[in-house]
Every structure is written in C-alpha cells, then in structure tokens.
Amino acid sequence: MFTMSSFTIVLLLPTMIFPLPSHPLALLHLPYTSSDRILPTIEFSQPAIISVLSFITSHPTSLLPLLAYALLGGLGQLFIFETIQHFGSLTLVMVTVTRKLFTMLLSVIVFNHTLTAGQWAGVGVVFGGIGVEAGMKRREMMRRTKRD
C-alpha cells in the first residue's frame, strides 16, 4: 500500500506543479515556419496547483467536504487492502459487486429508475452468483466443522 501511494505521488506531483501544454498533442507539433503554413506555438496552461488553490480560496466552504472526501477515500483503500490481506481477493470482489448491485437497486427505488428485462436478468444473475458462492462457503464451513 505504501509503495502504491508513493508511486502515485511521484507520478502525479509533477503534473500538479509544472505547467502542462494546453493541448496534449501540441508537443508533437514543434513550432516552425513553412512556406505553406505557420504551425501554432505550444501554449502552456497554468499549473494545476494554482487552479486548486485559487478555487479553495474563492470557495472556502469547499475545504471541509474535500478533506472529508480525501479521508474517506483513504479509509476505503484501507478497507480494500485489509479485506484482501485477511480474506483474499475473491471475497473483495464479492463485496464490491454486492455493494454496486445494492447501490444500483437503491437508485432504482429512490430515483424511480426503470430497468429493461435484460437488466433485470443481469440483476438476477448477480444475485444468483452471490447465492451460489455463499452456499459453497457454507458447505465448506460445514465440512470443516464435521472434521474438527
């Protein structure tokens, strides 16, 4: 987890501090003058950190939600890594798929969204898969209990 976070900082910090080209493909077209045309010069935007600080100073009430979002995002990553470490990646996949399924169903109920027949079939397949996996785990636990 530390290595991944460090790599993310090393990768993204320069993009926050240094000015970036206004268009990513502009670096491919170096400025030169031809008899036919004049290619535009490369223009750089201001560093992203300046935009961020400008936004926070002009909207100070946004700081608390941003900090909460960062804190909860980090906490979520801790839960993901702990789940992988203690229960394995298969359990993590089951938890995240189940969470996404219930979020989608909550959206259907709360916001009165509609699903097509194929989408309902997909919901059924996901619920079926969760049920099959839960049944397999229960059977395995019963076998272990009988052995002990």
Side-chain angles (χ1 to χ4, degrees):
M1 188 166 128
F2 176 77
T3 304
M4 191 169 85
S5 296
S6 299
F7 181 72
T8 303
I9 289 172
V10 167
L11 189 66
L12 294 179
L13 192 60
T15 63
M16 289 288 292
I17 296 173
F18 298 117
L20 297 174
S22 57
H23 190 279
L25 296 178
L27 291 175
L28 298 177
H29 300 289
L30 297 176
Y32 69 92
T33 306
S34 168
S35 61
D36 299 342
R37 60 184 180 177
I38 299 174
L39 292 175
T41 59
I42 300 173
E43 295 179 19
F44 288 91
S45 62
Q46 66 181 359
I49 193 73
I50 293 174
S51 301
V52 169
L53 293 175
S54 171
F55 178 84
I56 290 174
T57 54
S58 63
H59 301 89
T61 56
S62 68
L63 188 59
L64 190 60
L66 283 173
L67 291 175
Y69 181 74
L71 180 70
L72 292 174
L75 189 63
Q77 289 298 311
L78 283 175
F79 277 111
I80 287 171
F81 285 114
E82 288 295 316
T83 302
I84 290 172
Q85 183 178 4
H86 294 291
F87 302 106
S89 60
L90 186 62
T91 302
L92 176 70
V93 169
M94 188 176 85
V95 167
T96 56
V97 167
T98 305
R99 178 190 61 82
K100 289 175 185 176
L101 177 71
F102 281 110
T103 301
M104 189 262 320
L105 288 177
L106 184 66
S107 170
V108 168
I109 293 168
V110 171
F111 298 112
N112 210 16
H113 293 152
T114 57
L115 297 180
T116 65
Q119 290 169 329
W120 279 115
V123 169
V125 167
V126 172
F127 266 124
I130 292 169
V132 166
E133 186 170 351
M136 289 172 55
K137 282 189 176 186
R138 185 167 186 248
R139 229 180 291 144
E140 185 179 324
M141 292 295 269
M142 296 291 269
R143 287 181 191 162
R144 286 185 185 172
T145 305
K146 285 182 181 180
R147 279 189 220 157
D148 295 340

